């Protein structure tokens, strides 16, 4: 990533996006954990994990923000790079932890049988970890060919997960109480749409964006995707859990 | 914003105002969350959100305060600018998050039907976000014409929201228990009056205030408005929720 | 305030006093909040506020301590001023918030009628704010005359509050359960004695104390007064609330 | 440990591993403590201690990460040592605290008689402390012979503990409810396998690894072992406690 | 205290001891507060205070550790003093707060009559404060005679407290339920033995230890004593409270 062509405006915009991400993730965490008492005991673990996902993300946005601020000097109204590296790996470290947790969260809220819960958690969680690990070498490479190769490799587990979710969720929806079917459909759509965003953002530098514009688009793009896939999704899961708790008479 | 003409006294006054804002917001957060157990379950989410609004504001006042202190050097009893930019965007990032939440909070405490709750949240929240986004370009511009143009644009969603609140609240008041009607009237007035404050403060630099005086007036003005619109308002909402809980026999 | 004549011993003593103040306030906060469950629901808000007062004070002692450490360099065993200003306003910002809250706390624990609670809170809280605001210009002035003038002005609301408390508390005491009368008398005496301390400390520089000795006496004096008026007082209020809860059969 | 031959890639990889370790430990702590309410009171102390182990580890990973970052400068894209020592003792301080706690946790979840609980805690905890203390001199020595000698010494209590666990767990398993036998077997295996990892990692520098590769392998190796032995193990203990609570009708 | 003769090994050892102290105190705090729900309401305040003692100590170990790190530079593998003073007063500030609290804790767990609880708290707490205040001038003096004089003065209240505890505890033990007599005897012994440690450590520089060895012995000695007198003692108090709660049928 070439940071030296960023403008002061782009730098500030990205910095504000990171601070916004941090505030949203921290607020979502608190909101979700405060809401644990509003759902039936059977759904509490799902809500706990929802909040854990946003808490882990809040920590990583703090680290990303500090790393970003250290990489630039804005003193005197002009932007210069300081030479401190901007550590992009924090995103991948975050995903390695949170993407499997998000999948577990989704599986838990469906309240499948114990064995199905465990087997789905393992296969989907493993595929997710593989997807992240395969994407990283391309993200940090300056070479377009390498970026594309790893994109393709990472897409394989990605497609597997999306397919499983769509099919699995569709199958499970018929067994869900009527008043949450719409919501679960919504959650499935949200997952697919927001997850699709990541491989697209990853391609930005390959489709003509260069320099400061590419950096800004990638960082802001991932931040928006993270807010949707973690915070908005967590609140949707909470809503589903509240509705199901009501329906089941808690 | 031209920081170079601030006096040491003005700098210190603004710094103290930011620290005061931070302390008020943090204290209000703790107070509201401790008070959750004093209201009926149906009102707890409104109180949780009240505290979330002040928590988010506390975080942003911390960032604003640190950014302010980095922008100046007061060593040796004279004030100088250091060249580090004072990042005013934190306010707008804060509002982008908290203004929609404030509206949701107000809607929740009225306990409307589920569909009305959702539809009002979406339209008013969306208008609020639009209002903030339209105001930002004018705030950071040094040009009076630009400032005024965006003021006008931002006033459109503003007037829509205020109108909706006044009409909506008036309509809903007749359905509320008698012992809280006065309080809800008070809350409606507080919202309108405190919100009107923001576009007025925004105009300060256009109505003759310049240099350090303008900066001081804008920063202190927004801080006072924030304390009223978030902390005082939150406590009013809590009072309403406590009264309604009592009336409903909890 | 002339910091340049402080000795290393005086600097260290004040620094330790601030750290002690911070630790006491933080410990009192935790103790009070943990004790909420030991009092009847009707008294919980008073205890919450007690802990809020000490929490706000803990924050301000942290800021005061950091400001104090930045104002001096003790490297190499000799003390020198660095030129960073020691921001005394933090005390006044703290009082502006906590003195009204302390009065509210006292009013709440008496369990007066709702209207009396509100009206007393407003008049006494307002007078307290006025007292603090009138005292500040004298505190930061190097001129003895100014210091004295604002002392006199600030004494007017002060005397009004003390008078109200003594009369009000005396009146209310006869209506209190017998087993807490002694404690409430004690609380009233504690308030009056500890509050009297503040205008006395304020006068130190006017009654012959100069240089480092004046600074040390004022800072340590206010710290002791704060510990008594906030932490010790808070624990007295807790004891009263626990006794009344017992008497009322909770 | 010779830090001067590390490459920038190795430095960054270890830094990310430490940050990952910190995030995992903190997340596991929160998850375990939130889950206390899901187990019967008799098992809560075991879960509290599980979370304490990961909390202590989170603190030490923070310290290790800060010490690591201070020991290197990555400015300008090349890595240099700053001369600040990388304090490896934090790991041993951590183990001194957490290994005995882990053993207590395992003993508690078996719900032995009071006297057996105490006696096993003391002998196994003591052996664990001895094992750590004997390992340290070898870890910080540059001399291969010293490293090996202390490895041998430390292996004595190590083998004693592993033997006790295997035999003790096997014996206790027959008395456990059927639905958790598999899990407890799993926990026993996990302990033995993950603990075996530590003396192996310790030997890396003795089996041909040198310079940056040795440092990287040791640090990443210990981090992975810690995650398995603390976080994964803690979640296994939680699962066992949840199953036993169910079986016992809570 | 002469810091200039410390070796790098001694410096690192003391630093690790402080970090260990901080981790133990923080972990004990959390453990004690989590365990509040395991004892009968009558003992909760004692447990709250136990945790407060270790929390206050954790804060002071953090300050001591930071002060220690600022006083030395270990860059480049050699140790040098930076000239920043190592503030030993933090220990005494800590004891001034925690020793009275420890005594109150011990008194509370015995569940004496209200008047005895108050009178014992006041006389023993006052004697403890006197003991600490009398010890301080000797601790910071470089002169052996001064050190010894204040040691003698401080021993007077010390002996009074120890005598009271031994006699008082012995007397109270006969009234305690049988199943905790052994534990209370143990607690009494632990208090006396661990407290005796302090005046002994204080004498180290008078009995031949000099330079770095004296500093190391004093700092590590006090740290060990603090861990026993606060954390281990707190857990013993918790065990007593749990046993008594059981015996009393809670
Ligand atoms: C397919 C693909 C990717 C997918 C990333 C995804 C799907 C990330 C999801 C993250 C979430 C949901 C985070 C929120 O917790 C990468 C790694 C960008 C690399 C390029 C190809
Ligand atoms: C109309 C208008 C504005 C309105 C701002 C408002 C109404 C902000 C409210 C903030 C609140 C309520 C925050 C507390 O949470 C701006 C953006 C200053 C720009 C100028 C025109
Ligand atoms: C009369 C007077 C004063 C009174 C101050 C008081 C009474 C402060 C009380 C503070 C408390 C109780 C804080 C604890 O929360 C000042 C401002 C020193 C100025 C001089 C005259
Ligand atoms: C035998 C042996 C060792 C064993 C270490 C172990 C077994 C550590 C376990 C740590 C755990 C379980 C931490 C998680 O909390 C050392 C000290 C490396 C030194 C070499 C020989
Ligand atoms: C008699 C004596 C002393 C006693 C200190 C004691 C007894 C300290 C106890 C501290 C505790 C128990 C802390 C834990 O919370 C001093 C001051 C060293 C000075 C020399 C004489
Ligand atoms: Na920078
Ligand atoms: Na610049
Ligand atoms: Na500055
Ligand atoms: Na200056
Ligand atoms: Na300084
Ligand atoms: Na100096
Ligand atoms: Na560095
Ligand atoms: Na470099
Ligand atoms: Na240093
Ligand atoms: Na050096």
């Amino acid at each position: 990533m070439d940071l030296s062509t960023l403008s002061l405006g782009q730098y500030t915009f990205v910095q504000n996006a990171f601070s916004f991400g941090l505030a949203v993730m921290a607020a979502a965490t608190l909101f979700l954990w405060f809401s644990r008492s509003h759902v039936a005991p059977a759904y509490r673990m799902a809500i706990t994990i929802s909040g854990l996902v946003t808490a882990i993300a809040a920590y990583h946005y703090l680290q990303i923000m500090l790393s970003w601020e250290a990489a630039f000097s804005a003193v005197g109204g002009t932007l210069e790079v300081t030479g401190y590296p901007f550590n992009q790996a924090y995103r991948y470290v975050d995903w390695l932890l949170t993407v499997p947790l998000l999948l577990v969260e989704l599986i838990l809220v469906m309240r499948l049988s114990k064995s199905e819960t465990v087997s789905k958690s393992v296969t989907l969680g493993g595929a997710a970890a593989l997807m992240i690990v395969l994407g990283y070498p391309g993200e940090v490479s300056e070479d377009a060919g390498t970026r594309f190769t790893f994109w393709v490799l990472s897409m394989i587990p990605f497609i597997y997960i999306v397919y499983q979710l769509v099919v699995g969720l569709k199958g499970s929806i018929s067994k869900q109480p009527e008043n949450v079917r719409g919501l679960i459909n919504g959650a499935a759509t949200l997952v697919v749409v927001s997850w699709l965003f990541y491989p697209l953002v990853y391609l930005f530098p390959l489709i003509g964006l260069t320099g400061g514009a590419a950096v800004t688009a990638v960082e802001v793009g991932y931040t928006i995707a993270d807010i949707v896939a973690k915070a908005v999704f967590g609140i949707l899961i909470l809503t589903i859990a509240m509705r199901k708790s009501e329906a089941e008479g808690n």
Side-chain angles (χ1 to χ4, degrees), chain A residues 30 33 51 58 75 90 132 136 152 174 176 186 195 205 239-240 246:
Chain A
L30 290 165
W33 286 342
V75 173
Y90 284 125
I132 305 302
Y136 184 64
V152 171
S174 53
Q176 302 290 332
W195 288 43
T239 313
I240 294 174
E246 252 174 65

Side-chain angles (χ1 to χ4, degrees), chain A residues 42-55:
Chain A
Y43 300 111
R44 288 210 183 128
M45 200 174 272
I47 307 305
T48 304
I49 294 177
S50 285
L52 224 44
V53 166
T54 49

Side-chain angles (χ1 to χ4, degrees), chain A residues 3-25:
Chain A
L3 302 177
S4 65
T5 62
L6 243 82
S7 73
L8 180 55
Q10 288 170 330
Y11 164 74
T12 309
F13 189 63
V14 172
Q15 188 193 19
N16 291 333
F18 289 157
S19 181
F20 184 76
L22 166 54
V24 169
M25 294 302 178

Side-chain angles (χ1 to χ4, degrees), chain A residues 22-240:
Chain A
L22 166 54
V24 169
M25 294 302 178
T29 303
L30 290 165
F31 182 71
L32 288 165
W33 286 342
F34 270 118
S35 301
R36 281 177 87 237
S37 60
H38 298 322
V39 304
Y43 300 111
R44 288 210 183 128
M45 200 174 272
I47 307 305
T48 304
I49 294 177
S50 285
L52 224 44
V53 166
T54 49
I56 294 170
Y59 164 72
H60 285 108
Y61 272 96
L62 179 64
Q63 291 280 32
I64 290 171
M65 190 171 86
L66 294 177
S67 175
W68 182 257
E69 287 175 3
F72 297 95
S73 161
V75 173
T78 60
L79 193 75
E80 277 155 56
V81 295
T82 59
Y84 283 101
F86 171 56
N87 185 356
Q88 193 145 31
Y90 284 125
R91 280 205 186 286
Y92 280 78
V93 171
D94 176 77
W95 293 342
L96 200 57
L97 266 167
T98 55
V99 180
L101 286 176
L102 276 175
L103 292 168
V104 169
E105 185 186 324
L106 197 62
I107 293 166
L108 276 178
V109 91
M110 285 186 212
R111 232 177 161 178
L112 308 173
S113 73
K114 249 175 217 175
S115 64
E116 239 189 317
T117 299
V118 171
S119 76
K120 290 226 163 178
S121 293
V122 171
T123 55
L124 289 180
L130 191 70
M131 170 184 85
I132 305 302
V133 168
L134 287 173
Y136 184 64
E139 183 79 79
V140 295
S141 163
E142 297 294 326
D143 176 58
T146 315
R147 195 172 186 98
F148 186 68
T149 309
F150 284 98
W151 182 85
V152 171
L153 290 176
S154 180
M155 282 305 281
I156 303 171
F158 176 77
I159 287 167
Y160 169 74
I161 299 171
V162 169
Y163 175 81
Q164 283 295 317
L165 285 183
V166 173
V167 170
L169 281 162
K170 285 266 132 72
S172 118
I173 282 168
S174 53
K175 301 173 210 146
Q176 302 290 332
E178 218 173 304
N179 67 332
V180 295
R181 275 190 212 157
L183 278 173
I184 296 200
N185 252 328
T189 312
L190 190 81
V191 168
V192 173
V193 169
S194 69
W195 288 43
L196 268 173
F197 219 80
Y198 293 92
L200 288 181
V201 169
Y202 189 95
L203 288 178
F204 283 176
L206 297 182
I207 55 171
L209 277 174
T210 53
V215 173
T216 306
V218 168
E219 295 307 328
V220 174
Y222 280 150
T223 304
I224 293 172
D226 270 356
I227 289 175
V228 176
K230 288 166 173 160
V232 175
F233 178 72
I235 287 169
L236 209 62
I237 290 287
L238 172 66
T239 313
I240 294 174

